[in-house]
Amino acid sequence: MSASPHEPDPDRTPPADPAAAEAKPRVPLAIEDWLTVVVMALLALITFANVLVRYFSSQSFAWTEEVSIFLMIVLALVAGSAAVARNRHIRIEFFADAGPARRRRRLARFASAMTALLFLLLAFLSMRMVYDDIRFEETSPGIGVPQWWYSIWLPVFALAIAGRAIGLFIRQGRELVSDGTHHDSERDPSPGA
């Protein structure tokens, strides 16, 4: 027996992820997307320029390694922010996808809250590191610029990720209420549930 062309086939429809917040974030994801593009372009440009200089002059730019490492860290933090905002952060699927929908939603909200807490703590601790970099006038090992030029961005991006996690937590709460899933009787249709 086949389903009508207007109805989804239950055998082919992937199970709904109740933990995914369907509402879009208020702060546009284009920010992270464009930052990713810009950072990747800078990394490619710096690396290509260094290869050309090294090939033609047997020398290399001293600053490229230090700046490239900094840009890779920025790229990881920007991608982390985008992953949190899109609810694509890492999770243990055995726990996150098992059990009734209410449990999965609560675990998703717990994960969002813990992510926010972790990055708020990271922001606080990294602000102390920036303060120490400024107070002790530390310089970078490669090119000798003030170390805080690099370290100042860790608390900034940690706060951005925490903000994205808080936004996800709020959207998941709204979805929890709007779906009416506050009843324990709702079960996942998967076998053995």
Side-chain angles (χ1 to χ4, degrees):
M1 178 173 207
S2 66
S4 73
H6 299 291
E7 295 179 47
D9 183 3
D11 296 332
R12 303 189 91 207
T13 304
D17 180 11
E22 296 298 325
K24 291 187 178 183
R26 288 187 181 182
V27 178
L29 288 167
I31 295 170
E32 283 93 343
D33 294 342
W34 278 106
L35 273 174
T36 300
V37 168
V38 169
V39 170
M40 288 295 292
L42 284 172
L43 274 168
L45 184 67
I46 289 169
T47 304
F48 184 67
N50 195 34
V51 167
L52 285 178
V53 168
R54 188 178 298 170
Y55 180 76
F56 289 115
S57 70
S58 298
Q59 301 291 321
S60 69
F61 293 134
W63 53 270
T64 56
E65 182 180 0
E66 192 169 296
V67 172
S68 293
I69 290 170
F70 165 70
L71 289 174
M72 284 187 262
I73 293 168
V74 167
L75 184 64
L77 291 170
V78 169
S81 178
V84 168
R86 289 183 171 104
N87 196 22
R88 298 287 181 222
H89 51 79
I90 192 167
R91 58 179 58 92
I92 302 171
E93 291 180 3
F94 178 78
F95 295 112
D97 295 344
R102 180 177 181 186
R103 177 179 173 266
R104 293 192 313 250
R105 284 185 172 89
R106 287 184 179 222
L107 281 175
R109 289 197 82 206
F110 177 74
S112 298
M114 292 299 102
T115 301
L117 181 65
L118 172 79
F119 281 98
L120 286 171
L121 180 64
L122 181 63
F124 171 74
L125 293 174
S126 61
M127 281 185 223
R128 294 197 55 190
M129 180 183 70
V130 171
Y131 172 71
D132 286 343
D133 286 346
I134 293 170
R135 185 173 61 152
F136 295 119
E137 299 178 1
E138 291 193 37
T139 58
S140 66
I143 54 178
V145 298
Q147 185 67 35
W148 67 267
W149 288 8
Y150 300 125
S151 58
I152 192 71
W153 296 103
L154 181 56
V156 169
F157 286 118
L159 285 173
I161 294 171
R164 289 295 196 179
I166 291 167
L168 178 63
F169 180 82
I170 291 168
R171 290 192 317 273
Q172 288 168 332
R174 286 183 189 147
E175 184 177 281
L176 188 68
V177 171
S178 70
D179 285 351
T181 57
H182 50 279
H183 301 291
D184 285 326
S185 61
E186 184 177 325
R187 286 282 196 197
D188 182 28
S190 63

